């Protein structure tokens, strides 16, 4: 779909001044023609309007019956500039891994079956949670995945009917991926009947030696690779609940193992060779550390009945390591992504609390626009981070047979204690969000502007206006800027030089009692191609308080609700936003200001 802006020419009156302007004193004032980024269509529902896909994406949940996404962005070669998404495929009856590709983060094409294991494979059914990494040295794509082992002892094989970790490789992101076979760096012969990580071969845990076979019956799933800056490879796993009752007749504390899951890490000699002596437990479900001294408030709220840590991902920033993972059961509406932070890829890690920003991505109990936003992957698209996750396809509940894929931008902010933590702009639902610069050619340049503000509530920080993140919850590391109600407030963004911009996005407060309803005036100081200087203005633009942004009967704001001004590219030196709160008391808050420019 090609989006056509239905707006007046921006500088229809400016051309007369093109040869007259002297210095930068404004010589004209012109109304700014703009759209809200969507196209009004007869008989089309408001939530389904077509929109400007050159600048924005929207979580329309078009990828359905797929879950547990693993997503890579290819930056070189024949497939450069494309995203490839792999997932647990209900449409394949979880007997294979599908792959979808996108060149714009909006339209997704199903390409093929990326991985279709041999009938002789141990992993011929219940194939879940693929993650793919690319190794430049070998020019190979490595897929790690979980599956239930069919090469069982009861059938004359070597393994229990439990979940194990597999490996498949390909020379193209489209596949076909083939199960890894051969002799690994440990000297182990890996055939079609063998997983790449065999818990029976663990020889030590947390530095304590153990007899081989001790962990043979344990269930491992949700694996992901992380390659550190020194080239060392790590495999992160979830030691899962004993859903198949494999441990029931052992001396192990069955109730403790059956009711919880935890995260582990193992160093790898290469992508196919675990260093079994390096296995280490890095989380304890429900607690901030593996010692279990203090409970984690996020898990107490969101994983009270099923104490589960699963779907680990590792991200490094500077000298800090961010372990993000899912909490709670995958069928819960509160299935969420949380984080723990450490100074080493193997920990120790400490889970963050709600107030510290520990909840990276998650819903609240009363939300009606998204449900169960968990099992994520962290994907770098150009210079930007995105979190891909699954959620309920109907937006109200999680149905494991009908999950869909959503995605939102992520990054880092300092919390109130001064600690840098991972944050996310989401989960979003019906609102337009900015595409990555890699696809649109534009980025948010608001953080590069000098900001001044009047009418601020005492103690409020104007830095929240342009930090690049809007709050999705009433707690956490992301803040809002508050203004005194009943007063006229002005926010001005000034750039060092004229910048080419295409859109302005004003994010409302997540608190229904603090929202703004109308912006009285937006004034842009502009320069024409002919060299004339002037102002382009918008008067009395109303925030769209409708089913795309809120649920008014419950006084509920949807995360990421915004006011969008989408226009033809213009050169801008400053942006002045003036508004007046309609209430005589209290405060009005702005979540964030985005300026899409170059």
């Amino acid at each position: 779909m090609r989006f056509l802006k239905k707006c007046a020419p921006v500088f229809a009156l400016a051309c007369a001044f093109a040869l007259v302007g002297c210095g930068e004193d404004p010589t004209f004032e012109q109304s700014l023609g703009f759209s809200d980024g969507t196209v009004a269509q007869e008989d089309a529902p408001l939530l389904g309007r077509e929109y400007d896909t050159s600048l924005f994406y929207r979580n329309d949940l078009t990828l359905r019956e797929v879950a547990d996404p693993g997503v890579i962005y290819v930056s070189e070669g024949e497939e450069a500039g494309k995203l490839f998404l792999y997932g647990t495929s209900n449409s394949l009856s979880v007997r294979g891994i599908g792959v979808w590709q996108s060149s714009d983060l909006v339209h997704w094409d199903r390409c093929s079956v990326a991985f279709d294991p041999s009938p002789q494979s141990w992993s011929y059914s219940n194939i879940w949670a693929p993650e793919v990494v690319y190794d430049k040295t070998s020019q190979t794509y490595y897929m790690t995945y979980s599956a239930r082992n069919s090469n069982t002892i009861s059938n004359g094989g070597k393994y229990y009917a439990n979940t194990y970790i597999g490996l498949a490789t390909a020379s193209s992101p489209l596949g076909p991926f083939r199960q890894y076979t051969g002799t690994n760096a440990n000297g182990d012969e890996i055939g079609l009947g063998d997983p790449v990580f065999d818990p029976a071969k663990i020889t030590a845990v947390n530095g304590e030696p153990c007899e081989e076979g001790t962990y043979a019956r344990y269930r491992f799933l949700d694996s992901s690779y992380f390659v550190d800056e020194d080239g060392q490879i790590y495999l992160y796993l979830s030691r899962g609940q004993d859903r198949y009752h494999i441990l029931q007749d052992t001396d192990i504390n069955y109730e403790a193992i059956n009711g919880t899951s935890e995260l582990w890490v193992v160093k790898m000699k290469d992508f196919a060779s675990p260093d079994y002596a390096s296995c280490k437990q890095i989380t304890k479900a429900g607690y901030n550390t593996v010692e279990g001294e203090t409970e984690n408030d996020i898990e107490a709220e969101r994983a009270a009945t099923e104490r589960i840590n699963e779907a680990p991902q590792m991200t490094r920033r500077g000298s800090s390591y961010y372990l993000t993972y899912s909490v709670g059961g995958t069928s819960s509406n509160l299935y969420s992504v949380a984080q723990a932070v450490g100074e080493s890829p193997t920990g120790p890690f400490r889970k963050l609390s709600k107030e510290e920003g520990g909840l990276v991505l998650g819903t609240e109990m009363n939300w009606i626009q998204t449900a169960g936003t968990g099992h994520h992957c962290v994907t770098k698209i150009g210079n930007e981070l995105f979190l891909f996750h699954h959620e309920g396809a109907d937006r109200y509940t999680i149905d494991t047979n009908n999950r869909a894929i959503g995605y939102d931008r992520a990054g880092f902010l300092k919390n109130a204690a001064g600690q840098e933590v991972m944050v996310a702009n989401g989960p979003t639902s019906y609102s337009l969000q900015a595409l990555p610069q890699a696809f649109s050619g534009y980025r948010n340049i608001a953080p590069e502007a000098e900001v001044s503000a009047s009418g601020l509530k005492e103690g409020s920080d104007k830095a929240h206006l342009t930090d690049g993140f809007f709050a999705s919850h009433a707690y956490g590391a992301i803040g809002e800027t508050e203004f005194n109600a009943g007063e006229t407030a002005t926010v001005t963004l000034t750039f060092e030089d004229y910048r080419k911009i295409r859109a302005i996005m004003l994010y409302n407060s997540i608190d229904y009692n603090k929202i703004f309803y109308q912006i009285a005036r937006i004034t842009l100081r502009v320069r024409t191609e002919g060299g004339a200087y002037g102002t382009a203005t918008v008067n009395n633009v109303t925030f769209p308080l409708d089913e795309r942004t809120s649920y008014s009967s419950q006084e509920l704001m949807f995360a990421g609700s915004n006011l969008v001004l989408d226009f033809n590219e213009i050169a801008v030196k400053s942006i002045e936003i003036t508004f007046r709160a309609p209430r005589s008391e209290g405060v009005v808050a702005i979540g964030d200001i985005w300026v899409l420019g170059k």
Side-chain angles (χ1 to χ4, degrees), residues 3 51 163 172 224 246 261 272 278 289 300 304 328 344 412 425 431 526 572-573:
F3 177 85
Y51 62 93
T163 306
S172 164
S224 65
I246 303 296
S261 68
S278 70
T289 63
S344 161
F412 295 87
N425 275 337
S431 53
V526 300
V572 175
K573 181 67 178 292

Side-chain angles (χ1 to χ4, degrees), residues 531-574:
Y533 297 91
T535 57
T537 61
V538 176
N539 292 304
N540 298 319
V541 58
T542 302
F543 179 80
L545 203 62
D546 53 37
E547 59 263 44
R548 294 172 296 180
T549 62
S550 61
Y551 187 39
S552 58
S553 66
Q554 297 297 316
E555 296 190 344
L556 172 67
M557 291 297 294
F558 299 163
S561 295
N562 53 33
L563 173 65
V564 174
L565 280 70
D566 182 7
F567 41 80
N568 297 323
E569 184 180 271
I570 51 178
V572 175
K573 181 67 178 292
S574 66

Side-chain angles (χ1 to χ4, degrees), residues 160 162 199 213-219 242 246-250:
Y160 291 93
N162 217 336
T214 301
Y215 291 89
R217 300 187 181 200
Y218 278 63
R219 181 175 186 246
D242 184 27
I246 303 296
L247 298 169
Q248 200 161 20
D249 59 348
T250 68

Side-chain angles (χ1 to χ4, degrees), residues 453-462 464 480-485 487 489 514 586-588:
S454 66
L456 285 174
K457 177 189 174 184
E458 185 177 356
S460 189
D461 192 346
K462 67 180 182 181
H464 297 313
E480 298 183 338
T481 301
E482 297 181 340
F483 298 84
N484 295 317
E487 297 182 13
K514 296 180 181 178
V587 297
V588 170

Side-chain angles (χ1 to χ4, degrees), residues 362-383:
T363 63
E364 297 295 337
M365 185 64 75
N366 65 332
W367 283 17
I368 63 168
Q369 72 276 20
T370 50
T373 52
H375 198 119
H376 72 302
C377 69
V378 182
T379 303
K380 191 173 185 181
I381 305 175
N383 293 320

